[in-house]
């Protein structure tokens, strides 16, 4: 099993700046740590205001001020995804993987949501059972459609050992 699958590294040289951020705004630091805790290997997390409000116990205007400070001080970048936002943490400070492999126009993000945001309680929904689509694996296979009859297999094709 691979080691260190669930870690976030922080640049030692930025520890003082992180402490200074906490002195400037404890909420901005709390939000930054929440984002860092939730981010994926590309330093991105997609989270709604409603989820941030519930997690941090603060109002949207208060969270707006904290996000504005984090953007202004270059801790995060906000990427618009339709009407939602993805937050990308500064890769010079935080990282979970080697190098900055994040393309600008196409990236993955970990999505954080809460039960309160859903139309119904997902814990009470039955598991969705998807139908398996048959796959033809070689050019010699043929899919049976309807009531097509296939000849019996050639005995030489059967592996009886």
């Amino acid at each position: 099993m691979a080691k260190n699958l669930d870690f976030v590294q922080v640049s030692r040289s930025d520890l003082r700046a992180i402490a200074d951020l906490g002195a400037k705004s404890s909420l901005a630091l709390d939000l930054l740590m929440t984002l860092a805790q939730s981010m994926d290997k590309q330093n991105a997390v997609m989270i709604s205001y409603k989820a941030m409000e519930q997690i941090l116990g603060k109002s949207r205007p208060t969270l707006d001020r904290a996000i504005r400070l984090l953007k202004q001080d270059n801790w995060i970048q906000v990427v618009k995804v339709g009407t939602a936002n993805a937050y990308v943490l500064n890769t010079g400070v935080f990282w979970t993987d080697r190098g900055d492999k994040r393309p600008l126009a196409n990236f993955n993000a970990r999505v954080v949501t809460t039960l309160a945001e859903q139309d119904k309680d997902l814990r009470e929904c039955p598991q969705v059972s998807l139908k398996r689509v048959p796959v033809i694996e070689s050019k010699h296979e043929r899919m049976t459609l309807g009531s097509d009859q296939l000849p019996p297999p050639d005995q030489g094709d059967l592996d009886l050992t």
Side-chain angles (χ1 to χ4, degrees):
M1 179 175 223
K3 293 163 80 176
N4 299 325
L5 291 178
D6 193 29
F7 69 89
V8 173
Q9 296 184 72
V10 178
S11 168
R12 187 181 304 270
S13 62
D14 289 311
L15 290 174
R16 178 76 260 154
I18 292 170
D20 291 344
L21 173 65
K24 189 186 285 188
S25 168
S26 62
L27 176 59
L29 177 59
D30 198 13
L31 177 56
L32 183 64
M33 291 299 113
T34 299
L35 296 175
Q37 181 181 14
S38 301
M39 73 184 191
D40 67 358
K41 287 187 176 194
Q42 293 177 318
N43 284 30
V45 60
M46 193 166 181
I47 184 171
S48 68
Y49 273 98
K50 192 170 192 172
M52 285 189 280
E53 289 171 2
Q54 186 175 348
I55 292 167
L56 297 169
K58 301 295 180 184
S59 68
R60 184 178 178 135
T62 302
L63 290 166
D64 274 333
R65 287 191 294 278
I67 290 168
R68 200 168 30 253
L69 175 62
L70 292 175
K71 283 174 33 179
Q72 172 188 316
D73 288 357
N74 297 317
W75 291 103
I76 63 171
Q77 175 184 10
V78 179
V79 177
K80 295 288 182 194
V81 184
T83 58
N85 291 332
Y87 302 92
V88 183
L89 281 73
N90 184 330
T91 57
V93 179
F94 301 96
W95 66 95
T96 60
D97 201 10
R98 292 185 202 161
D100 184 8
K101 302 172 190 167
R102 177 176 44 86
L104 294 178
N106 180 15
F107 66 94
N108 297 318
R110 183 159 294 163
V111 177
V112 177
T113 188
T114 64
L115 287 173
E117 293 178 274
Q118 307 310 310
D119 294 333
K120 56 186 170 185
D121 190 334
L122 299 175
R123 295 173 298 186
E124 296 173 9
C125 294
Q127 283 271 342
V128 175
S129 181
L130 300 176
K131 290 189 177 195
R132 185 170 169 91
V133 177
V135 176
I136 297 178
E137 295 187 9
S138 77
K139 62 183 178 183
H140 302 295
E141 291 185 52
R142 185 181 139 212
M143 187 178 302
T144 302
L145 300 174
S147 61
D148 289 354
Q149 294 294 318
L150 292 177
D154 184 346
Q155 293 297 317
D157 292 340
L158 297 176
D159 182 13
L160 301 174
T161 57

